[in-house]
Amino acid sequence: MKISPSILASDYANLESELKKIESSDYIHVDVMDGHFVPNISIGAPVVSAIKKVCSVPFDVHLMISDPLKYAEDFANAGADIICFHVESDSDTSETIDKILSLGKKAALAVKPGTPVEEVIPYLDRLSMVLVMTVEPGFGGQSFMEGVMPKIEKLRELGYKGEIEVDGGVNAETIRIAAKAGADVFVAGSAVFRSESPKDTIRLLRDNAANAVI
Ligand code: DX5
Ligand code: ZN
């Protein structure tokens, strides 16, 4: 069970100290928004490159952008370890996966709540991870959508052995639901950064996920 805190909920004026607070996490989730695929604009490759220098936890970069094929190389050079893009983007899915793999990075594919999971099935053998969105991408602090759990169950029924990540509205309670469905990587923005002790929250989230499947 891996916890991937989203720095979207952190204090951008103090990223180095914010990253220190979550150094016990398994991945760092970096939300990249282009103001086109989603309404907001967040951060780009130069910021990823800067924070990579002060953080040794692997970077799980979630591209909420219209043309991931065009920018994959920038994010690979900036230090992304996992490059995740949306199956709903304008780029050719197969070509984008190949590009990410050719850059020596792990490829992940994300699906919005309204997109059938069948859309990712043709690509599973090349994906290290599938990201099943549990909110509409674009904003932190939304409520977890339990209705998408059958997508996770379906991927496991098909025998998918890679990582399945959930993103949006994950907290100490909703994480149990996602873990039971078969997810094993959990993004948490508000739950981690709005808590008194991010370190204790990361431990609690990991324990609750593990206990849910015993
Ligand atoms: C939503 C982002 C999420 C977001 C999660 O578009 O992809 O990663 O930061 O935030 P919380 O955990 O607050 O729902
Ligand atoms: Zn995200």
Side-chain angles (χ1 to χ4, degrees), residues 60-176:
D60 155 29
V61 175
H62 179 193
L63 299 178
M64 286 165 274
I65 66 177
S66 294
D67 195 357
L69 180 57
K70 183 174 172 189
Y71 294 98
E73 192 161 1
D74 284 356
F75 286 96
N77 292 338
D81 296 281
I82 302 166
I83 300 182
C84 179
F85 68 101
H86 274 262
V87 72
E88 306 88 355
S89 78
D90 296 339
S91 300
D92 181 81
T93 302
S94 191
E95 217 180 309
T96 308
I97 294 171
D98 286 346
K99 177 81 182 180
I100 295 167
L101 297 177
S102 77
L103 292 162
K105 305 298 175 183
K106 291 182 172 169
L109 199 51
V111 277
K112 293 201 225 179
T115 303
V117 74
E118 281 67 25
E119 296 204 12
V120 308
I121 292 172
Y123 312 102
L124 290 180
D125 57 339
R126 286 182 281 161
L127 300 174
S128 300
M129 182 162 91
V130 175
L131 167 51
V132 175
M133 292 296 303
T134 41
V135 298
E136 284 302 332
F139 307 89
Q142 306 180 75
S143 300
F144 181 84
M145 296 166 74
E146 192 171 344
V148 307
M149 294 302 107
K151 293 193 205 181
I152 300 172
E153 290 157 3
K154 174 88 197 226
L155 290 170
R156 291 304 184 206
E157 275 162 31
L158 287 168
Y160 180 63
K161 299 269 190 306
E163 293 183 322
I164 300 181
E165 180 177 58
V166 287
D167 182 10
V170 171
N171 59 37
E173 295 315 314
T174 57
I175 198 167
R176 301 176 201 268

Side-chain angles (χ1 to χ4, degrees), residues 3-74:
I3 307 300
S4 187
S6 165
I7 58 166
L8 188 66
S10 73
D11 175 4
Y12 279 176
N14 296 289
L15 279 174
E16 185 171 4
S17 57
E18 293 287 81
L19 286 165
K20 261 256 146 335
K21 294 180 189 168
I22 56 169
E23 61 186 359
S24 63
S25 65
D26 303 282
Y27 296 143
I28 303 293
H29 188 83
V30 182
D31 285 308
V32 175
M33 306 180 183
D34 66 354
H36 190 251
F37 184 77
V38 290
N40 283 323
I41 299 176
S42 59
I43 57 170
V47 175
V48 175
S49 167
I51 60 177
K52 187 70 183 178
K53 296 191 180 78
V54 298
C55 181
S56 55
V57 179
F59 278 16
D60 155 29
V61 175
H62 179 193
L63 299 178
M64 286 165 274
I65 66 177
S66 294
D67 195 357
L69 180 57
K70 183 174 172 189
Y71 294 98
E73 192 161 1
D74 284 356

